[in-house]
Amino acid sequence: MYQVNSTMQLCVTCEHYVGPREPYCFVAVKFESTSERGKCYETFPSGVPAYPMGGCPRWRMWGALK
């Protein structure tokens, strides 16, 4: 299990990312694997594959962390 701070601008902490993850006390996100891809729905309605530790300039904090 991995854990990253909620303010890190990574896919796993982003509003546009859909993948296996869970918020932890509003200050972190827990997830199982750095190689298990989710999808980013920021640009394309059908989503594009994204790794949890990836990032982009369009990051928005995941609503579950606010």
Side-chain angles (χ1 to χ4, degrees), residues 1-23:
M1 171 101 28
Y2 295 89
Q3 180 176 313
V4 295
N5 187 293
S6 63
T7 59
M8 293 183 75
Q9 294 187 6
L10 301 170
C11 291
V12 76
T13 61
C14 182
E15 182 73 27
H16 307 294
Y17 179 79
V18 174
R21 61 184 174 170
E22 61 183 78

Side-chain angles (χ1 to χ4, degrees), residues 8 19 29 39 50 56:
M8 293 183 75
V29 176
K39 282 196 170 187
C56 83

Side-chain angles (χ1 to χ4, degrees), residues 9-64:
Q9 294 187 6
L10 301 170
C11 291
V12 76
T13 61
C14 182
E15 182 73 27
H16 307 294
Y17 179 79
V18 174
R21 61 184 174 170
E22 61 183 78
Y24 180 70
C25 299
F26 298 101
V27 296
V29 176
K30 288 185 173 185
F31 57 103
E32 290 292 323
S33 170
T34 58
S35 61
E36 187 175 349
R37 289 195 276 182
K39 282 196 170 187
C40 175
Y41 290 93
E42 198 284 322
T43 305
F44 300 100
S46 59
V48 294
Y51 287 103
M53 299 298 284
C56 83
R58 296 182 185 104
W59 180 87
R60 292 174 92 188
M61 184 180 283
W62 183 25

